[in-house]
Amino acid sequence: MSFEELNLISPIREALKKEGYTTPTEIQRQAIPPLLEGKDLLGCAQTGTGKTAAFAIPILQNLCKEQRDRKGSKNIKALILTPTRELALQVGESFTAYGRNLGLRNGVIFGGVSQKHQTDILMKGIDILIATPGRLLDLMNQKYIDLSHIKYFVLDEADRMLDMGLVADVKRIISHLPGVRQTMLFSATMPKEISKLVDSILTDPVRVAVTPISSTVDIIEQSVFFVGKKHKKHLLLHLLKDKSIASALVFSRTRYGADKIVKDLIKAGIKVQAIHGSKSQAARQQALNNFKAKKTRVLVATDIAARGIDVDELSHVINFDLPNMPETYVHRIGRTGRAGLGGVALSFCDEDEKPYLKDIQKLIAKIIPVVEGHPYPLNRMDVEEKKGTTKNTTKNTTKNTMNNTHNAKDNRSSKTI
Ligand code: AMP
């Protein structure tokens, strides 16, 4: 199927050609026709599937058609809510790219930066607003934003909103939207809380599910290294000696951990930067641009900051820490293997993280191959240290901890669809 067959207007087709898109992706094929007809949509898809264009193209086309009837209107007609600033910027770039021939205006707002530039844009008038929830509420309270003319509403990465504790904000924003509107909700997973939201905000939605969570990961070559916590940095340096790792996105569970990894890599002469919530927006954007431009070889990120990172040709994802939510593992490794290309995901697993590994393998329904024979294997000393046991009891310790699933379910409210 081609974009022509999707009945897109020629200015949009031209813009897509300029982007180098020749054929629609699966989610675009499935979502664009019902969205052009004005239907609500529930999209189960993650980044890398082309979901942004799947909702941006029909919004642009419908807005373009309506534009003629209300020339000069300064009202915001489409709202896209995203969990992070990076994703908001990326969605904004997509609207600009696909709508380059349409004369529609979009604006991106997010927290952590001065609001001046954003309010200036709002005052001039925009058709499409891309926003993170906190700054949006803030500017709504200051009366810079009126949502009463919204006709198109997208809630992007709804499950991530939940992970970030943003659902209450999202609900408050929704309460300000007109009742008659077209709503699109995208989520890679469907925790209970999000299912409830789906039922309350979507009307008879078309359901589109692409690349089910487990099959996305199939094209990515995954492996796990059992390693002692204090040897993880040595293992990382050892792996990065391999020059075939052209670019690597390294995940750390904490900001502190991310900074520590950066220090260790710099000491070893590796070009690296970090991206996490304690960094200013400018520093995060700069780190991302340097990584995209291949000025840095390694980008160290925490999960929240990494949301929305879109890097073409990312060869490796390295999980320095395993996440305690198995869905996060899928989000992380989905950074590589984009648009159907293969990728490599390497995960470090220490004694404490074995329960997380077990949960991940259950979710993706496969056993991740273990790399044997690397220089820093998890040894009896590491296990003993963790357990505080004596040598006499060590024999049983490994066996017991292998079966131990304690605390892996902590803070877990989500399940996969
Ligand atoms: P997304 O899932 O929206 O984050 O998109 C993932 C990547 O796929 C982005 O780099 C898009 O530019 C790219 N993309 C989206 N649609 C297409 C298409 N039809 N053909 C080629 N690349 C695409």
Side-chain angles (χ1 to χ4, degrees):
M1 185 189 260
S2 65
F3 281 111
E4 278 78 7
E5 286 168 90
L6 287 174
N7 290 326
L8 300 185
I9 53 176
S10 63
I12 293 183
R13 288 206 313 265
E14 287 304 314
L16 297 177
K17 215 182 269 171
K18 200 146 195 185
E19 286 302 295
Y21 299 1
T22 49
T23 43
T25 65
E26 180 63 23
I27 190 155
Q28 289 159 10
R29 270 196 293 274
Q30 290 191 39
I32 291 176
L35 288 179
L36 284 174
E37 283 175 25
K39 299 232 165 68
D40 278 3
L41 181 115
L42 171 60
C44 295
Q46 49 189 294
T47 42
T49 55
K51 72 177 164 63
T52 314
F55 65 76
I57 292 171
I59 291 177
L60 286 163
Q61 177 147 326
N62 286 334
L63 277 177
C64 181
K65 289 196 165 155
E66 293 158 19
Q67 202 179 18
R68 293 171 216 135
D69 308 335
R70 41 180 193 202
K71 271 216 157 81
S73 153
K74 282 193 166 185
N75 297 328
I76 302 168
K77 292 131 207 137
L79 170 67
I80 292 86
L81 268 189
T82 74
T84 65
R85 344 175 197 200
E86 283 78 13
L87 187 58
L89 282 166
Q90 200 181 299
V91 170
E93 280 170 18
S94 299
F95 269 96
T96 304
Y98 312 145
R100 68 171 80 233
N101 303 320
L102 302 179
L104 291 161
R105 301 148 301 174
N106 74 65
V108 183
I109 64 167
F110 45 82
V113 292
S114 149
Q115 68 174 46
K116 176 79 176 67
H117 177 62
Q118 299 175 358
T119 53
D120 285 350
I121 291 172
L122 289 166
M123 301 287 275
K124 278 190 202 143
I126 52 172
D127 303 287
I128 302 150
L129 175 64
I130 300 113
T132 55
R135 178 56 63 93
L136 175 59
L137 279 171
D138 194 0
L139 294 183
M140 281 165 65
N141 289 337
Q142 295 178 52
K143 306 274 186 265
Y144 281 108
I145 294 173
D146 169 16
L147 297 183
S148 65
H149 297 276
I150 296 292
K151 277 193 75 177
Y152 306 96
F153 171 55
V154 180
L155 184 57
D156 200 8
E157 310 214 336
D159 50 351
R160 188 56 42 168
M161 299 270 190
L162 182 69
D163 288 352
M164 292 171 68
L166 295 172
V167 169
D169 282 355
V170 169
K171 285 183 180 163
R172 272 176 58 208
I173 292 163
I174 292 171
S175 73
H176 288 267
L177 296 175
V180 180
R181 58 167 198 260
Q182 184 181 17
T183 304
M184 296 145 250
L185 185 149
F186 290 84
S187 198
T189 59
M190 203 51 62
K192 224 191 281 156
E193 186 89 359
I194 299 300
S195 301
K196 277 197 234 152
L197 196 62
V198 164
D199 294 340
S200 66
I201 68 169
L202 295 173
T203 311
D204 192 18
V206 172
R207 288 166 192 264
V208 173
V210 295
T211 51
I213 207 147
S214 52
S215 73
T216 314
V217 299
D218 282 349
I219 55 164
I220 298 163
E221 204 184 304
Q222 300 163 68
S223 49
V224 61
F225 295 74
F226 288 112
V227 55
K229 206 184 285 290
K230 59 184 177 205
H231 289 303
K232 283 184 173 184
K233 70 172 179 187
H234 301 121
L235 180 59
L236 180 61
L237 288 168
H238 170 73
L239 293 174
L240 289 173
K241 279 186 197 148
D242 178 353
K243 293 285 178 270
S244 72
I245 303 183
S247 62
L249 181 57
V250 175
F251 281 96
S252 158
R253 210 161 28 220
T254 64
R255 298 167 186 191
Y256 171 79
D259 285 336
K260 180 100 189 33
I261 296 168
V262 168
K263 269 191 206 148
D264 290 334
L265 295 191
I266 287 175
K267 252 190 235 163
I270 293 168
K271 291 209 166 90
V272 56
Q273 277 183 303
I275 180 167
H276 58 60
S278 303
K279 303 259 176 197
S280 72
Q281 174 59 16
R284 286 158 70 163
Q285 204 52 49
Q286 196 216 14
L288 188 54
N289 291 345
N290 286 343
F291 187 58
K292 281 185 179 179
K294 305 214 182 318
K295 287 184 192 160
T296 44
R297 182 176 170 217
V298 178
L299 184 67
V300 185
T302 55
D303 289 302
I304 285 173
R307 200 69 190 162
I309 289 183
D310 182 18
V311 184
D312 293 336
E313 301 165 37
L314 171 64
S315 65
H316 287 70
V317 165
I318 301 178
N319 291 309
F320 193 89
D321 301 309
L322 278 184
N324 60 353
M325 306 261 283
E327 289 86 355
T328 304
Y329 173 82
V330 178
H331 286 308
R332 286 182 179 186
I333 72 166
R335 308 282 117 195
T336 180
R338 298 201 137 212
L341 299 168
V344 179
L346 310 173
S347 299
F348 297 176
C349 179
D350 66 29
E351 188 58 30
D352 291 338
E353 293 169 321
K354 284 181 175 170
Y356 303 153
L357 179 64
K358 199 171 166 185
D359 284 2
I360 289 164
Q361 298 191 136
K362 198 165 148 207
L363 175 73
I364 63 172
K366 73 195 265 184
I367 301 290
I368 304 172
V370 177
V371 178
E372 308 279 2
H374 67 82
Y376 306 100
L378 186 63
N379 57 34
R380 277 170 48 164
M381 290 294 282
D382 295 305
V383 178
E384 276 172 34
E385 221 169 69
K386 191 231 156 191
K387 287 274 164 192
T389 53
T390 63
K391 272 196 176 147
N392 295 342
T393 57
T394 317
K395 244 185 196 165
N396 293 326
T397 310
T398 314
K399 201 167 156 225
N400 289 340
T401 50
M402 286 295 281
N403 295 326
N404 189 352
T405 52
H406 75 281
N407 81 26
K409 297 270 186 274
D410 288 354
N411 308 320
R412 194 88 51 80
S413 58
S414 56
K415 68 180 168 61
T416 323
I417 46 168

